[in-house]
Amino acid sequence: MKSSQSRNVRRSSGEVDPYSAAHIYYGPNREAKAKIRAYSSIYDSSGHGTLGNDSHPATRRASQDDGARVSRRFLIPVESTLKALLEREDTDNNMQITIDDDGPKVLSLGTLASNGYNKADVRGTYMLSNLLQELTLAKEFGRQHIILDEDRLNENPVNRLSRLIKNTFWDNLTRRIDGSVIEKVGLDPKDWTDDPRPRIYVPRGAPEQHAYYSKLAKARPEIRLDVQWLIEGKINGEYVKNLNDKPGLLAVAMEEYVDPLTGEKDLRGLPFVVPGGRFNEFYGWDSYMESLGLIINDRVDLAKSMVQNFCFCIQHYGKIFNANRSYYLGRSQPPFLTDMALRVYERIKTEPGALDFLRTAILAAIKEYYNVWMAAPRLDTITGLSRYRPEGVGVPPETESSHFTHILEPYAEKNGMTFQEFVRAYNDGVVKEPELDEYFLHDRAVRESGHDTSYRLEKVAANLATVDLNSLLYKYEVDIARTIRVLFYDSLPVPPEFTAPGIREGTVETSAVWDRRSKKRRQAMDKYLWNEAKGMYFDYDTVKKEQTTYESATTFWAMWAGAATPRQAASLVINALPKFEVFGGLVSGTEESRGVVGLSRPNRQWDYPYGWAPQQILAWTGFLRYGYNEEAERLAYKWLYMVTKAFIDFNGVVVEKYDVTRPIDPHKVDAEYGNQGSDFKGVAKEGFGWVNASYVYGLTIVNVHMKRALGACTPWETFYQATEQSSEAVNFGV
């Protein structure tokens, strides 16, 4: 693999950068100029140096360019080489080349310098899988022959993944909702009704959008777009349940622009980044995590438009959604808006309108705070802390039809009904089952928490004042206070579109009020969530009036928010960190807390042994905030190494979550929903949103020596031992 320094190869002014994005590298302006000889520039399949006999190493054909390690270029016929490569190397026939395949791990290609006559070997899983990716892309761009730089095959893996995230993954994860795509995005793969069709719900405060989509539906009847108004006023669980027979998208922000084709004004959707895999809507806390990577990659434009989409949602719907589908109308997600908006503002503050952007975002956060988190049913008035406790009626409709079969079938038998008859009767309130009501109350709360699912939350989530939610709200309170004081002269009037219960039009928000709120919450967190004996935070059951015992990595969120005192932070590092630190970084919860798993008690994806990007990102940031730089660097290194190693060994894979205890194939997760991001043919084009972000964010935390070691795929233990020995040698003057 190439070192990072090898990227600085000097090339003639007319040549394309070997690390260009695919649309440039394989674009129409870069055709293979060399004459293509009649013979194959790779081994043929005649049996002489045969492709078909995978059990023997390929014999040499013609002369070989195996001499000095200069930066070579290959002249490649795309289709035949791609076919040969897959026949030789993809022994499990999944259109990927990984360490699980047992092919010869070598393929000879014709060099450009010899016009394809001389051969050079491409060896090893990493280079061959990169070759597969490049050939797949070239074929998609319609190329029959290509000139391929060897630098593109043996590229430093850290550089390669960083480049793909910046130049490819973000663009491929970007969506917008408007007439250009509504027939696709309006269709819901979770629409279990008899007549699925694209449908969009528009809030009453956006008549321009209703007119836009109605005009579109009339002009294009073939797409069968159903445009619906949402009711005005408070939306309750019964109303959301009644929409289940007509599920649809919830409209998000649009902007006015001049159509270059017609010269007329029109509307278009503001873009946003989706998580990836089967998740193609505008999601809540995924968007915050993604924004961290977008800002580093100079895509502040996308991060800004996602903030604007959130502000639209809060203004018109009263909350940030789990995702923008009708069945999520009652459900929010972990709140990160203030930190997200402030990070964007920091990058655009010299631009016109930047302060107005921030003002809108802070007002939206204030409305969300009052309307969602400090109101019934989420606020626990006794402790003053908040809970994930969304409203809802009946069975959550977005889940696969069989998801709750084991829960519902006994009730169907009890009532002498078929499964479908019982679901309908229960949803309509014809049959009353209080135990089921309680079960689904907690199930919806688990999903609102973003941690779906975990034994930490199962059958109790709606009763818990969690460490994570209250840390986030503490951060809201501190951010709002500081922003009002520093940027708005300690006076922020509330306009009518951002009023909520407890905040009337004309109310002037001041920093003192929010300072008091943050101090009060911190005191409550110390009283109810902090466990002095164990030196870490735990969730609090507001019904049983006791702390839970589940040890969760969310304990570090208090450090991210700044809610922990320096003494508490030290205790967390000393007592909590050893419980969660494993091979690949931080595990979501301890094995002891999860308990025994088996056929009757299956593993949950937010429990041990799985690790998620948000837990890593927030912990790194928290440790840095309190001066624990070495711990932050070590944890970031472990996570980055694990992601990089899977990327190298498994055809460029980047997935939703990892088994952080597995050194070999951590992306192979069999809990519940499996994994998102691994099901691709030939080349990964999206990665997964928050893991992409964690990668580029983590690289800003580790030092230069660590980046070099990661590029060489050096495990943490090896790197640590080498650096310790080097330090000892320096100390002793060796």
Side-chain angles (χ1 to χ4, degrees):
M1 290 174 282
K2 288 279 187 180
S3 68
S4 58
Q5 287 83 354
S6 67
R7 297 181 74 109
N8 300 319
V9 177
R10 297 186 66 180
R11 310 183 76 84
S12 64
S13 59
E15 295 180 4
V16 174
D17 182 350
Y19 305 111
S20 298
H23 71 277
I24 297 173
Y25 195 79
Y26 299 116
N29 296 325
R30 190 169 190 261
E31 295 294 334
K33 302 294 185 183
K35 178 181 177 182
I36 305 300
R37 293 176 179 264
Y39 53 77
S40 172
S41 62
I42 58 167
Y43 289 120
D44 62 27
S45 55
S46 63
H48 307 291
T50 175
L51 292 169
N53 186 358
D54 288 337
S55 61
H56 300 287
T59 58
R60 297 190 175 199
R61 178 175 183 267
S63 60
Q64 296 278 330
D65 283 350
D66 283 334
R69 300 304 299 164
V70 296
S71 181
R72 287 180 292 225
R73 305 171 83 190
F74 301 112
L75 183 62
I76 302 176
V78 174
E79 188 67 43
S80 58
T81 308
L82 182 58
K83 182 175 183 292
L85 178 63
L86 289 170
E87 287 178 353
R88 284 173 68 90
E89 301 293 347
D90 180 24
T91 58
D92 58 7
N93 298 312
N94 68 346
M95 297 293 289
Q96 298 176 18
I97 296 174
T98 73
I99 60 172
D100 288 342
D101 292 303
D102 57 5
K105 303 293 187 185
V106 60
L107 187 73
S108 290
L109 301 176
T111 61
L112 177 64
S114 68
N115 203 22
Y117 184 79
N118 294 337
K119 310 298 173 190
D121 285 346
V122 174
R123 295 178 178 273
T125 298
Y126 180 61
M127 289 186 70
L128 289 168
S129 69
N130 286 347
L131 177 60
L132 173 60
Q133 294 168 52
E134 298 300 328
L135 292 173
T136 302
L137 290 168
K139 182 178 179 181
E140 291 179 0
F141 278 94
R143 298 294 300 276
Q144 295 181 340
H145 297 88
I146 59 171
I147 296 169
L148 181 63
D149 291 89
E150 187 179 36
D151 288 345
R152 211 166 168 91
L153 301 182
N154 61 13
E155 184 179 5
N156 179 306
V158 173
N159 293 341
R160 183 176 177 88
L161 180 50
S162 300
R163 173 175 64 81
L164 290 174
I165 291 170
K166 182 176 183 177
N167 296 340
T168 303
F169 291 176
W170 291 134
D171 285 340
N172 289 339
L173 288 170
T174 300
R175 308 284 189 273
R176 65 174 78 236
I177 299 174
D178 55 29
S180 64
V181 292
I182 192 64
E183 69 270 27
K184 294 180 180 178
V185 300
L187 280 172
D188 188 352
K190 299 174 184 176
D191 184 349
W192 317 116
T193 63
D194 295 333
D195 183 28
R197 60 187 294 188
R199 181 177 292 109
I200 188 160
Y201 287 92
V202 181
R204 296 283 176 169
E208 72 287 351
Q209 288 205 33
H210 192 275
Y212 169 86
Y213 287 114
S214 296
K215 179 181 177 181
L216 177 68
K218 185 176 181 180
R220 299 177 60 193
E222 72 279 3
I223 68 175
R224 301 177 66 238
L225 176 62
D226 184 16
V227 184
Q228 297 277 344
W229 282 113
L230 277 178
I231 62 166
E232 203 161 10
K234 183 173 174 58
I235 293 174
N236 59 29
E238 190 66 31
Y239 174 76
V240 177
K241 187 264 294 182
N242 290 336
L243 297 182
N244 290 345
D245 290 334
K246 291 185 176 182
L249 277 174
L250 300 173
V252 291
M254 302 184 82
E255 63 180 355
E256 189 176 76
Y257 79 113
V258 176
D259 189 327
L261 297 178
T262 65
E264 297 179 356
K265 290 183 178 180
D266 202 356
L267 294 178
R268 64 184 175 192
L270 283 181
F272 53 87
V273 175
V274 300
R278 64 190 175 95
F279 305 110
N280 273 294
E281 297 86 17
F282 181 43
Y283 276 78
W285 70 318
D286 293 78
S287 296
Y288 168 74
M289 302 299 163
E290 291 157 355
S291 74
L292 300 177
L294 289 168
I295 292 170
I296 293 168
N297 284 155
D298 296 320
R299 295 303 308 273
V300 70
D301 58 314
L302 275 174
K304 178 183 177 182
S305 72
M306 290 199 289
V307 171
Q308 291 170 316
N309 273 308
F310 280 149
C311 293
F312 179 93
C313 291
I314 294 171
Q315 178 182 340
H316 294 287
Y317 306 110
K319 62 173 66 69
I320 291 173
F321 295 122
N322 186 157
N324 64 313
R325 294 281 182 184
S326 56
Y327 37 74
Y328 294 135
L329 273 164
R331 190 187 309 165
S332 190
Q333 273 212 316
F336 284 93
L337 179 57
T338 57
D339 192 76
M340 185 177 179
L342 285 165
R343 287 175 183 270
V344 171
Y345 173 76
E346 189 60 31
R347 290 292 298 272
I348 67 168
K349 61 186 178 183
T350 59
E351 298 177 8
L355 196 59
D356 289 336
F357 160 83
L358 184 61
R359 178 184 289 106
T360 299
I362 294 299
L363 286 167
I366 290 172
K367 178 175 180 176
E368 179 198 20
Y369 178 89
Y370 282 111
N371 192 58
V372 179
W373 305 114
M374 295 301 288
R378 292 175 178 84
L379 175 64
D380 177 57
T381 55
I382 296 176
T383 61
L385 298 172
S386 300
R387 307 166 293 187
Y388 295 113
R389 199 177 177 91
E391 292 183 84
V393 174
V395 181
E398 75 275 12
T399 55
E400 289 78 359
S401 56
S402 61
H403 186 80
F404 294 113
T405 300
H406 65 294
I407 299 293
L408 297 172
E409 275 186 342
Y411 290 94
E413 293 174 6
K414 169 187 168 183
N415 286 276
M417 297 178 177
T418 67
F419 181 84
Q420 294 299 333
E421 287 172 343
F422 173 75
V423 171
R424 174 68 67 179
Y426 173 66
N427 284 346
D428 291 342
V430 175
V431 172
K432 305 291 185 182
E433 292 289 353
E435 289 183 353
L436 270 185
D437 295 344
E438 181 78 5
Y439 176 86
F440 286 118
L441 168 69
H442 296 305
D443 180 84
R444 282 186 289 270
V446 172
R447 298 173 192 279
E448 182 170 75
S449 77
H451 292 74
D452 45 327
T453 63
S454 164
Y455 287 117
R456 165 189 165 223
L457 304 172
E458 190 167 287
K459 299 180 181 180
V460 71
N463 296 341
L464 298 182
T466 64
V467 178
D468 34 306
L469 176 56
N470 286 283
S471 295
L472 298 180
L473 293 176
Y474 174 83
K475 183 70 159 55
Y476 259 41
E477 292 157 349
V478 170
D479 286 347
I480 292 169
R482 185 178 68 252
T483 304
I484 292 174
R485 181 167 51 249
V486 174
L487 295 174
F488 298 115
Y489 305 100
D490 217 8
S491 176
L492 185 63
V494 178
E497 64 268 27
F498 289 115
T499 58
I503 174 172
R504 300 187 303 274
E505 179 182 355
T507 299
V508 176
E509 295 288 341
T510 63
S511 63
V513 173
W514 291 93
D515 283 333
R516 287 195 295 271
R517 285 175 178 149
S518 65
K519 290 175 183 177
K520 184 178 179 182
R521 188 176 301 275
R522 190 176 192 172
Q523 290 171 353
M525 290 175 68
D526 286 345
K527 179 178 180 180
Y528 295 105
L529 308 182
W530 177 253
N531 188 307
E532 184 65 29
K534 295 184 177 180
M536 57 187 291
Y537 292 93
F538 291 86
D539 302 327
Y540 181 80
D541 190 318
T542 60
V543 173
K544 292 183 178 180
K545 301 187 186 315
E546 63 184 21
Q547 271 188 4
T548 66
T549 59
Y550 190 104
E551 296 169 330
S552 169
T554 54
T555 193
F556 299 116
W557 289 32
M559 292 179 69
W560 173 85
T565 65
R567 185 183 65 81
Q568 288 170 326
S571 182
L572 284 164
V573 172
I574 294 168
N575 298 301
L577 181 55
K579 294 177 181 288
F580 300 99
E581 185 173 355
V582 292
F583 169 81
L586 292 175
V587 70
S588 292
T590 62
E591 186 174 13
E592 180 182 359
S593 292
R594 180 203 64 187
V596 177
V597 294
L599 289 176
S600 60
R601 192 174 185 270
N603 226 335
R604 301 298 192 214
Q605 63 177 4
W606 280 90
D607 289 331
Y608 182 95
Y610 307 116
W612 295 72
Q615 307 288 36
Q616 320 302 318
I617 291 171
L618 298 180
W620 302 338
T621 309
F623 289 136
L624 290 174
R625 180 176 193 142
Y626 286 84
Y628 295 98
N629 293 20
E630 289 185 7
E631 287 77 4
E633 288 183 344
R634 182 179 72 246
L635 291 170
Y637 188 101
K638 287 185 171 185
W639 175 261
L640 294 170
Y641 171 79
M642 178 192 65
V643 174
T644 304
K645 188 68 162 60
F647 175 80
I648 292 170
D649 290 343
F650 291 93
N651 209 106
V653 74
V654 177
V655 292
E656 177 191 27
K657 55 186 173 287
Y658 293 83
D659 181 339
V660 288
T661 67
R662 291 170 68 100
I664 303 299
D665 49 7
H667 69 295
K668 294 184 178 180
V669 172
D670 57 6
E672 298 183 288
Y673 310 108
N675 220 342
Q676 301 297 311
S678 59
D679 185 19
F680 58 86
K681 304 298 182 186
V683 58
K685 297 178 181 177
E686 297 180 341
F688 196 86
W690 57 25
V691 177
N692 299 344
S694 74
Y695 200 79
V696 296
Y697 186 69
L699 287 173
T700 68
I701 293 174
V702 297
N703 61 43
V704 173
H705 297 299
M706 289 176 168
K707 289 179 186 177
R708 290 173 179 163
L710 287 168
C713 206
T714 307
W716 166 255
E717 290 74 15
T718 304
F719 173 77
Y720 177 73
Q721 290 170 6
T723 52
E724 282 296 292
Q725 290 171 0
S726 176
S727 298
E728 290 175 4
V730 170
N731 291 337
F732 284 98
V734 177

